[in-house]
Amino acid sequence: MNSKIGTSLKSTRDLMSTAADEIILTPVQQAAYDKLELLLGISPVIALSGVDGIGKTTIAAAFARKHGGVVLGMGDVFAAAEPFEGAQWQEAVEAMVLDALRRVDLVVVDDYTKLAFVSKGMLRMNFLGEVVGKRLCDAAAQAGKHLVLVGSALPLWGSVTGEFSDQAVLVDVPIFGADDYTRIAVNVLGDDRAANIDFKVIHRYSSMLQGYELRLACQLLRQSNAAPTTEDFIDCLNTYVVASNLRLGEVEALSFDSLPGAEHIAEALETNIVLPFENRELAAELGLKPKRGVLLYGPPGTGKTSIGRALAHRIQGKFFLIDGTFITEPPTVFFQRIQKVVQEAKDNSPSVLFIDDADILFKIDHVAGLSRYLLSLLDGLESATAGNVCVMMTAMDPKKIPEALLRSGRVELWLDTKAPDETTRARILQRWIGVEIPGHDAVDYAALARITHGCTPADLRRIVRDARTMYAADVVAGHSTVSASDYVRRSVEEIVASRNNMAQLLGDDRLRIGAPA
């Protein structure tokens, strides 16, 4: 095993030697590096902590290279301990670190918080545990060596370090600021090509970008002959870098203009969310902040989800969805999934965190803690790093939303999505019919609107979609085609008959649609 460890150390050292001279640390990375230097002569064990993607490995590699140390990463550990299982795997990891401490004066264990909870890729709670951690720290102290443990900014250090935690001095790497964005861009693009990009704007636009995301955007922009602008950088982020929790093909790009009948909602969102978001200097002067929470309430099919997507499109952000599919067993899994999406929304802000049918979710005993979780979330969105997340909930019955969520400062923008009137139905039908069906320009939309009484925007969109299907079926079968108005009328008749039959079967007249008697 020792020969394999020796090979691992050599490859790690060679890697640092080839890369270190090319690395210029960002301001927050340099500040953390300086703290490591200061603490080197004070404590035998230093814990380097921070969120993922902030450059902790980069800092540790530069630090180890300067002091003739080595970095043991996940790849090194798994290569050395591959033949072993269970307790032997744990012993192999411990032996690897101890062997490194005998060879050099400074050993960095990268991803330590992950290694402490994993064995050959399988999650095992507290696998390395307090006992192993204490022995490693004691070994470093007794030998006059130094051990740097690198981990994520999660509340794991107590479990990982346990009773030896008082020996580990913590150095925390803060999240990137605009100056760090600038430094990374200059490293990749050079001073001249980065000169036209205002990274204060980029940071306000997306304040939680990771180092690799910034480098990826710069590498993509470097392929262009022209020097990139701020707008180019934002477009690149939206197209290639920042992702939502839905596949892009499933998230329709909608604008407020494409939602007839929702003008009053669009105006409220423009005033209370978009205006302070897009006019930062004026908002700061007047003390304005985007509303953190929005409640859309109304009957099903009235376009609530479309409004959420339109807002995400309007602020050039991402759309994150939480709905009934998150109801899983056990409850801890539900909240793990929720937390993952919430963190992604924060990391990829500006974003819309859309909670569909919230009134139904709140009634489910299985996730009884959801309202308390959302209270904490909304209160936490006051911070600068999370202020670009809008939490939008939908409800058919707003009375079932917990009162505490509706207090001022939380969900304070309440917008009613109503069933469309006759004029709005005509506009919606015209919006969706398009140019695919011959004779679309001769459609009598007013007449069609009269026979679609009670239809929601979702109903109207389905009517048009079914009309197109009827037209396509005639084309494929070689039948004579009819006018667009005829196809839409046939579609309306079929859907009205189907819905009204269902209303009679279920004894629920609310399901009825079509022209009133």
Side-chain angles (χ1 to χ4, degrees), residues 46-298:
I46 304 173
L48 183 64
S49 176
V51 298
D52 290 340
I54 207 72
K56 299 185 298 293
T57 300
T58 299
I59 298 168
F63 188 66
R65 181 177 184 273
K66 177 180 178 181
H67 296 282
V70 295
V71 178
L72 302 179
M74 291 280 280
D76 301 315
V77 171
F78 276 91
E82 178 63 29
F84 304 101
E85 296 283 353
Q88 288 185 321
W89 193 94
Q90 176 176 309
E91 293 170 1
V93 175
E94 181 181 2
M96 181 183 187
V97 179
L98 293 174
D99 185 80
L101 284 170
R102 285 192 291 270
R103 293 167 178 262
V104 295
D105 291 334
L106 173 65
V107 175
V108 174
V109 184
D110 201 13
D111 290 320
Y112 185 78
T113 47
K114 295 177 182 177
L115 283 171
F117 288 89
V118 73
S119 169
K120 298 192 75 172
M122 300 297 292
L123 186 66
R124 297 191 182 184
M125 195 55 124
N126 209 14
F127 187 72
L128 287 183
E130 300 176 8
V131 175
V132 174
K134 188 175 190 309
R135 286 203 295 262
L136 292 177
C137 289
D138 287 345
Q142 292 169 7
K145 305 294 184 72
H146 291 89
L147 187 63
V148 177
L149 305 176
V150 182
S152 58
L154 296 173
L156 292 178
W157 284 109
S159 299
V160 173
T161 58
E163 56 188 68
F164 72 86
S165 59
D166 57 340
Q167 295 188 41
V169 179
L170 182 65
V171 173
D172 187 57
V173 186
I175 63 170
F176 287 141
D179 290 342
D180 301 282
Y181 281 25
T182 303
R183 182 69 269 165
I184 292 173
V186 169
N187 287 350
V188 178
L189 293 171
D191 286 302
D192 292 341
R193 290 179 63 80
N196 293 333
I197 305 172
D198 187 342
F199 284 99
K200 290 183 179 179
V201 173
I202 302 298
H203 187 262
R204 287 198 302 266
Y205 178 79
S206 190
S207 61
M208 296 291 287
L209 290 174
Q210 298 182 357
Y212 83 90
E213 293 172 324
L214 288 161
R215 286 191 293 273
L216 173 60
C218 292
Q219 288 164 357
L220 291 168
L221 291 169
R222 192 169 58 182
Q223 300 176 17
S224 172
N225 292 328
T229 64
T230 304
E231 291 72 22
D232 294 333
F233 202 100
I234 291 175
D235 287 344
C236 184
L237 289 177
N238 289 333
T239 305
Y240 301 107
V241 179
V242 181
S244 78
N245 71 326
L246 300 177
R247 290 189 294 275
L248 292 179
E250 296 177 352
V251 181
E252 185 176 11
L254 294 173
S255 66
F256 290 141
D257 292 339
S258 67
L259 302 174
E263 289 82 3
H264 66 294
I265 293 176
E267 182 179 357
L269 294 175
E270 286 279 358
T271 301
N272 292 283
I273 295 176
V274 178
L275 185 151
F277 180 78
E278 289 188 339
N279 300 272
R280 301 284 183 164
E281 293 184 3
L282 177 62
E285 180 182 340
L286 299 177
L288 305 178
K289 292 183 179 180
K291 300 294 186 188
R292 287 172 289 168
V294 179
L295 175 64
L296 302 176
Y297 63 95

Side-chain angles (χ1 to χ4, degrees), residues 466-509:
D466 288 358
R468 290 177 179 174
T469 302
M470 293 175 184
Y471 167 70
D474 283 346
V475 171
V476 171
H479 297 159
S480 298
T481 59
V482 296
S483 70
S485 287
D486 288 335
Y487 283 119
V488 175
R489 284 182 180 275
R490 281 167 47 186
S491 176
V492 170
E493 290 170 0
E494 290 187 7
I495 291 176
V496 168
S498 175
R499 284 280 295 274
N500 291 346
N501 285 338
M502 184 180 296
Q504 183 176 357
L505 179 64
L506 298 177
D508 188 350
D509 285 340

